[in-house]
């Protein structure tokens, strides 16, 4: 006689979970996976209407294109500045605002407001502030008797990286603050009893226990840095010259100004591969660090 397998409670839970996941799966399929598939298909074609077969020609052209390599190098430098700055500044602000200071909630909110503001508004704001002739910052320097600066000409990449940090550091601070508040206070109390000073407690207790938060912050900062577009488009328009020609901005120019959608799609796919590779390397390194710890 055939034995009927009973419907387990976990099986019913699984079916119910998949039922609730269907809207999210459909959303990602329609607005994420299908567009990626369309971009991959377009990357194999050429012509103004992307109606001619090119095979891997767009990819070989992109890998040999000096302009593509330059834009990627600029993007990597920009991302390194953003990642290091996000970790250092975010952790420093979190450590400061984790102390029992008066008005610390107000400071937390004020630091988070720029992150809640769109990139377009932030870009327009700082472009007006940094304008060499009408900018507020140069007026303040002139009133203080200091020489005025051409911020967007002398160090444009560092400038847009600083603007990006100004906008995103509040979010990083909140993540590190949550990590700090998740560390049991008993660890620090035991270290104090053993005679460890504040610096040693930070290096031996706080920093190792913040490793998961640091990994998450670094992964998100790398992804955000490699995908940056609005800063270069609004503040510097990729200039002066090609000093701030970030990868996504370069892809935008190839697609909508040069009208070469096949070539721009190939560059987009290559950038996606680079982002996935960086993410996997970071996650693998993070797992090794956790095991070592």
């Amino acid at each position: 006689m055939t034995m009927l397998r009973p419907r387990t409670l976990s099986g019913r839970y699984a079916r119910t979970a998949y039922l609730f996941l269907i809207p999210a799966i459909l959303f990602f399929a329609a607005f994420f996976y299908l567009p990626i598939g369309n971009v991959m298909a377009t990357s194999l074609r050429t012509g103004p209407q992307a109606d001619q077969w090119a095979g891997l020609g767009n990819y070989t052209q992109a890998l040999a294109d000096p302009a593509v390599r330059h834009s990627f190098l600029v993007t990597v430098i920009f991302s390194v500045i953003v990642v290091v700055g996000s970790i250092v500044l975010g952790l420093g602000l979190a450590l400061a605002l984790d102390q029992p200071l008066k008005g610390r909630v107000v400071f937390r909110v004020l630091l988070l407001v720029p992150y809640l503001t769109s990139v377009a508004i932030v870009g327009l704001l700082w472009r007006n502030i940094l304008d060499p002739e009408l900018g507020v910052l140069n007026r303040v320097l002139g009133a203080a008797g200091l020489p005025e600066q051409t911020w967007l000409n002398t160090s444009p990449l560092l400038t847009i990286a600083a603007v990006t940090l100004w906008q995103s550091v509040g979010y990083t601070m909140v993540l590190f603050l949550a990590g700090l508040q998740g560390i049991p206070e008993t660890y620090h109390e035991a270290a104090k009893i053993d005679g460890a000073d504040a610096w040693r407690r930070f290096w031996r207790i706080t920093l190792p226990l913040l490793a998961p938060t640091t990994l998450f912050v670094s992964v998100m900062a790398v992804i955000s840095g490699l995908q940056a577009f609005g800063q270069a488009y609004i503040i510097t328009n990729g200039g002066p010259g090609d000093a701030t020609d970030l990868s996504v901005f370069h892809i935008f120019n190839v697609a909508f100004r040069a009208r070469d959608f096949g070539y721009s799609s190939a560059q987009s796919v290559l950038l996606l591969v680079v982002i996935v590779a960086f993410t996997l390397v970071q996650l693998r390194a993070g797992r090794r660090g956790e095991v070592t710890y």
Side-chain angles (χ1 to χ4, degrees):
M1 186 176 73
T2 304
M3 298 294 293
L4 296 177
R5 186 177 181 180
R7 297 177 61 186
T8 62
L9 187 62
S10 60
R12 290 199 296 270
Y13 279 152
R15 284 188 289 272
T16 303
Y18 284 124
L19 183 64
F20 280 103
L21 285 173
I22 288 176
I25 294 173
L26 293 176
F27 176 84
F28 276 99
F31 297 101
F32 186 76
Y33 296 112
L34 286 180
I36 288 179
N38 183 52
V39 169
M40 289 181 175
T42 305
S43 69
L44 302 176
R45 298 182 177 274
T46 187
Q49 304 298 325
D51 54 357
Q52 303 173 20
W53 181 255
L56 299 177
N58 287 324
Y59 290 96
T60 56
Q61 180 183 350
L63 293 174
D65 192 342
V68 174
R69 292 200 297 265
H70 171 77
S71 66
F72 180 69
L73 177 61
V74 170
T75 306
V76 169
I77 296 173
F78 172 85
S79 300
V80 169
I81 297 173
V82 171
V83 171
V84 175
S86 296
I87 294 175
V88 174
L89 294 177
L91 180 56
L93 289 171
L95 289 170
L97 295 178
D98 192 40
Q99 306 301 318
L101 303 174
K102 186 177 181 180
R104 60 179 178 176
V105 176
V106 176
F107 285 109
R108 293 175 185 174
V109 173
L110 291 177
L111 287 169
L112 192 60
V113 167
Y115 177 76
L116 304 176
T117 309
S118 70
V119 176
I121 295 176
V122 170
L124 290 173
L125 171 67
W126 279 99
R127 190 178 70 180
N128 292 327
I129 291 175
L130 299 172
D131 188 273
E133 297 180 359
L134 304 176
V136 176
L137 189 55
N138 272 342
R139 290 188 179 184
V140 172
L141 292 176
L146 299 174
E148 298 181 356
Q149 304 292 326
T150 54
W151 310 96
L152 301 180
N153 292 326
T154 55
S155 53
L157 188 61
L158 183 60
T159 299
I160 64 172
V163 171
T164 304
L165 284 173
W166 176 84
Q167 182 180 15
S168 62
V169 72
Y171 174 67
T172 307
M173 178 267 299
V174 170
L175 293 176
F176 276 119
L177 193 60
L180 288 172
Q181 293 178 351
I183 299 176
E185 188 60 30
T186 53
Y187 293 169
H188 292 280
E189 293 175 354
K192 288 180 182 179
I193 294 175
D194 290 339
D197 55 15
W199 185 251
R200 186 167 298 179
R201 293 197 304 271
F202 171 77
W203 279 104
R204 297 300 180 91
I205 298 176
T206 304
L207 206 56
L209 293 178
L210 282 178
T213 304
T214 306
L215 176 63
F216 178 78
V217 168
S218 63
V219 169
M220 296 304 294
V222 167
I223 295 174
S224 177
L226 293 175
Q227 291 181 327
F229 168 75
Q231 299 87 338
Y233 180 73
I234 297 173
I235 301 176
T236 62
N237 196 29
D242 56 0
T244 57
D245 188 23
L246 301 178
S247 290
V248 177
F249 182 73
H250 182 78
I251 294 170
F252 168 82
N253 287 331
V254 172
F256 296 102
R257 293 178 180 173
R259 308 294 294 178
D260 193 342
F261 294 103
Y263 190 37
S264 64
S265 297
Q267 293 181 41
S268 299
V269 174
L270 290 175
L271 181 61
L272 173 63
V273 171
V274 169
I275 291 174
V276 172
F278 269 108
T279 303
L280 292 177
V281 169
Q282 287 178 280
L283 293 177
R284 188 175 182 85
R287 292 195 198 98
R288 286 183 176 179
E290 289 178 4
V291 171
T292 302
Y293 171 72

